[in-house]
Structures are given as C-alpha cells and as structure tokens.
C-alpha cells in the first residue's frame, strides 16, 4: 500500500510540475507577444505588429486546449474544441504570411548584437530539440488534443528557426544578396508547407483514431 501511495504522490507531483512549466511557458509567450505589440506601436514596425498577432493566436489556441482539458471531466466536447482549435491553427498559418514576406524582402528591422543572437540560437536549438523529442514520443498519442499541443510546439519551433535564420543573415551581412533572398524564400515556403502538413496530418490522425 505504501508503495502504491508513494507512486501516486510522485505521479501527482510530476503532473503538477508539468502544469507549472506549461503555465510559465504561456506567460512568457504572452509577455513576448505584448513586447512585440508595444515595440511595433512605438517604432511603427509592421514586423513586430504582425508577429505579435501570431503569438497572441498561439497563446489563445494553447489556452483553449489546456483550460478545457483541466476543467472538463468527461471530455464531452472534444470534437468542438478540436475543430475550433484546428480552424485557429489555419488562421495561425495565415497570420505568418506578412512576417515571412517582410523577412524575404529584408524589411524586418534587426537591432541585435552578435553575442545576443548566439544566445537566441542556443535557446531555439534547445526549444526545437525538446519539441521534436516530445512530438516523437506523442506520435501514437490517443488523446488528439494532447497531441495537438505537441504539434503546436513543433509549429512554433519552425517559426523560431525561420526567424533566427533571418536574424543571423541580417546581423552578419551588410547587404542581403540575391542568393540569401532565395534561401530565405525557399526555407520560409518550406516552413509554411511543413506547418500546413502538420495541421492536415493531425486531422487525418484523428480520423484514424476514431475508426479503431
């Protein structure tokens, strides 16, 4: 009995710790969205304005899923939540068009030191690695909403990589050459296509789960 109780206590602590990590992550994302919104308003920067919209939608989708999962006991509205968040995911992808066009045209204002950019590169690497590992672990997850959270994290990692690429190009090149324009265009296009694939594949996966 003691072993069973100990296991339950440990499991409960792990769940609470995961919830805390998710909440902290959401808070940082909200703050980052607000930061971009404020900077965009002050500097009249279309980049910051448009990317803040992306992050606000991202927070909205995650919040809807997490609040629903934590509050709903019988999960009777899973279908409604899935279709709502799936629609928002498509909207999320559409919201990236303006930031990506600005990156391709080199209209994004980048004021950042080389050392700070390396720190961001390290953060993006850790973030992306974590997203990929968790996505692979959840590849057979039967709870589609939990799987969707991992898909969202992976989508966000793709955008972080594209933004980091543009940042490194901007601070290490006095002028953006035609070759770098092509690199930015191709990688951005592939990033959007990959994100779209993840969203569509999530719907296909959900159908396969319901058939079983």
């Amino acid at each position: 009995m003691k072993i069973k109780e100990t296991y339950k206590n440990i499991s409960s602590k792990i769940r609470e710790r995961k919830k805390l990590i998710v909440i902290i992550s959401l808070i940082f994302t909200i703050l980052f969205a607000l930061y971009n919104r404020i900077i965009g308003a002050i500097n009249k920067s279309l980049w910051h304005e448009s990317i803040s919209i992306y992050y606000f939608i991202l927070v909205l989708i995650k919040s809807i899923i997490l609040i629903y999962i934590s509050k709903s006991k019988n999960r009777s509205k899973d279908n409604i939540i899935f279709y709502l968040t799936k629609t928002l995911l498509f909207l999320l992808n559409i919201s990236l068009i303006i930031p990506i066009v600005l990156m391709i045209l080199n209209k994004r204002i980048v004021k950042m030191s080389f050392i700070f950019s390396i720190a961001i590169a390290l953060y993006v690497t850790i973030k992306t690695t974590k997203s990929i590992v968790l996505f692979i672990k959840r590849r057979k997850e039967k709870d589609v909403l939990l799987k969707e959270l991992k898909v969202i994290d992976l989508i966000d990692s793709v955008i972080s990589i594209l933004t980091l690429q543009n940042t490194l190009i901007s601070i290490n090149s006095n002028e953006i050459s035609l070759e770098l324009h092509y690199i930015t265009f191709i990688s951005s296009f592939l990033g959007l296509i990959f994100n779209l694939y993840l969203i569509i594949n999530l719907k296909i996966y959900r159908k396969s789960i319901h058939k079983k």
Side-chain angles (χ1 to χ4, degrees), residues 76-150:
S76 59
K77 296 181 180 178
D78 274 26
N79 288 341
I80 297 172
I81 297 299
F82 176 77
Y83 282 110
L84 172 62
T85 52
K86 189 194 71 174
T87 303
L88 287 172
L89 278 174
F90 279 112
L91 184 61
L92 184 76
N93 230 26
I94 293 170
S95 73
L96 290 168
I97 293 174
I98 293 176
I100 284 175
V101 169
L102 290 172
M103 285 194 292
I104 293 170
L105 297 176
N106 193 32
K107 297 295 183 181
R108 178 189 171 213
I109 300 170
V110 179
K111 294 179 181 179
M112 194 180 297
S113 67
F114 180 72
I115 294 174
F116 189 62
S117 68
I118 293 299
I120 291 177
L122 178 61
Y123 166 74
V124 171
T125 302
I126 295 170
K127 175 182 176 180
T128 304
T129 304
K130 179 188 172 186
S131 297
I132 293 170
V133 170
L134 291 176
F135 179 79
I136 292 171
K137 281 185 177 181
R138 295 277 188 179
R139 68 185 183 277
K140 293 183 179 180
E141 173 64 60
K142 291 183 179 180
D143 189 328
V144 180
L145 291 179
L146 287 178
K147 185 176 176 65
E148 186 176 357
L149 285 173
K150 302 311 168 189

Side-chain angles (χ1 to χ4, degrees), residues 19-54:
K19 284 181 183 178
L20 182 62
I21 291 170
V22 170
I23 291 169
I24 292 171
S25 175
L26 272 177
I27 291 170
F28 274 107
T29 307
I30 292 169
L31 290 174
F32 191 62
L34 288 170
Y35 162 79
N36 279 287
R37 181 70 184 84
I38 294 167
I39 294 297
I42 293 172
N43 297 331
K44 295 181 180 179
S45 168
L46 184 56
W47 157 264
H48 289 94
E49 292 274 7
S50 57
I51 204 68
S52 70
I53 293 171
Y54 160 77

Side-chain angles (χ1 to χ4, degrees), residues 140-198:
K140 293 183 179 180
E141 173 64 60
K142 291 183 179 180
D143 189 328
V144 180
L145 291 179
L146 287 178
K147 185 176 176 65
E148 186 176 357
L149 285 173
K150 302 311 168 189
V151 168
I152 293 167
D153 287 339
L154 193 56
I155 288 172
D156 189 36
S157 293
V158 171
I159 303 309
S160 295
I161 291 169
L162 293 177
T163 307
L164 174 63
Q165 171 193 263
N166 181 254
T167 301
L168 294 177
I169 288 174
S170 298
I171 66 172
N172 288 293
S173 303
N174 293 325
E175 293 183 3
I176 303 297
S177 66
L178 187 62
E179 289 79 7
L180 291 177
H181 271 299
Y182 283 137
I183 290 171
T184 305
F185 173 78
I186 293 169
S187 59
S188 299
F189 177 75
L190 291 175
L192 280 177
I193 293 298
F194 179 69
N195 285 353
L196 192 60
Y197 161 77
L198 288 173

